[in-house]
Amino acid sequence: MKVLCFGSLNIDYVYKVNHVVRPGETEKSEEVSVNCGGKGLNQSVALARAGMAVSHAGMVGKDGKLLLDQCAENGIGTQYLRMIEGRCGHTIIQVDNEGNNSILLYGGANQCMTRDFIDEVLGGFEKNDVILLQNEINLLHVIIDKAYAKGMQIYLNPSPYNEALEKCDLRKVSCFLLNEIEGEQMTGETAPEKILAAMHERYPSADIVLTLGKDGSLYLDEHGMVRQEAFPVKAVDTTAAGDTFTGYFLYARSTGMTAKNGLELASKAAALAVTRPGAMDSIPAMEEVICHSWEEDAL
Ligand code: ADP
């Protein structure tokens, strides 16, 4: 069984500023960091660091060498990555002294998927292979339809939630992985149990994973509900917690672990990720997750 993550690759340019620039103003910045990201790439990295042989499908622009290098360094299969004319998907992020930020997102190559490219990629996969998707590339509805027609197992992190998801036939999804905000956007409910119930009613054959930040996570399938507490850690930066959780949970499920054991493993990996600054850099390797002594961290 093969695993494919078909999704975004982004370059984040993070500028330190005294204050977030206002219209008509020029503001100096003396510190910039350039980071690889995108939910798609973060989740591929989490899968790879968990030990899964994963290929990433997507597009980068002419400035995308560092994203391709990042994939290769993490052992992610790059045969379904294409470099096209134009710029990579990227963000320009200003962060002021108080930690306030403003984010400009340019879709770039992430918005350049074509039907031919999708056919070419999915041509390498078969029934029961796994495809992991998020909502940061165009033609998501086409990818879902074509992957389903092949009999692939579709894991979807419906993030960010927007009208593009309304075009998708979500009854074709095998497993949803979402946080409380996306859960509310999809169902109109706010209580976790009600979100799960509403998702289950709408998509009865899908497994549902709902993450609740420091309050842990819930899972529901036709056999019932499983609850997992978060592992108590001192949170430094929760960016990429969800992506880490998604990668590790998918690893667990596709290697035959139960949902309960999968939630536990994913929660450990995500807890370690929140103890470290940064997004992709904070995603732990399996060895660290297994070897970590959790008792020491109890607050
Ligand atoms: P997202 O990053 O998508 O918003 P969540 O905030 O729900 O996702 O976090 C995903 C998972 O990461 C949680 O279910 C939990 O296991 C873990 N996690 C998040 N925040 C913390 C925290 N402060 N302490 C421990 N674990 C956390």
Side-chain angles (χ1 to χ4, degrees), residues 179 211-214 216-217 230-231 233 235 238 241-242 245 267 270-271 274:
N179 67 17
T211 62
L212 309 168
K214 63 179 170 24
S217 50
F231 285 81
V233 289
T238 59
F245 190 101
S267 303
V274 309

Side-chain angles (χ1 to χ4, degrees), residues 172-272:
K172 296 176 175 170
V173 171
S174 324
C175 179
F176 291 92
L177 300 116
L178 65 174
N179 67 17
E180 275 176 296
I181 297 167
E182 292 136 14
E184 181 178 353
Q185 288 166 323
M186 285 191 73
T187 64
E189 299 288 352
T190 49
E193 284 80 1
K194 286 196 171 165
I195 294 173
L196 280 184
M199 288 292 292
H200 183 64
E201 196 181 318
R202 226 181 277 175
Y203 311 110
S205 60
D207 302 342
I208 320 283
V209 180
L210 180 65
T211 62
L212 309 168
K214 63 179 170 24
D215 295 327
S217 50
L218 294 171
Y219 170 90
L220 185 73
D221 67 11
E222 76 267 24
H223 304 298
M225 195 171 89
V226 182
R227 186 184 295 270
Q228 171 70 49
E229 298 299 322
F231 285 81
V233 289
K234 194 166 179 319
V236 170
D237 181 351
T238 59
T239 321
D243 293 336
T244 304
F245 190 101
T246 294
Y248 270 80
F249 185 77
L250 175 49
Y251 166 86
R253 293 302 271 163
S254 34
T255 53
M257 288 170 70
T258 61
K260 186 173 188 334
N261 291 343
L263 288 186
E264 188 181 330
L265 177 69
S267 303
K268 285 180 174 173
L272 277 184

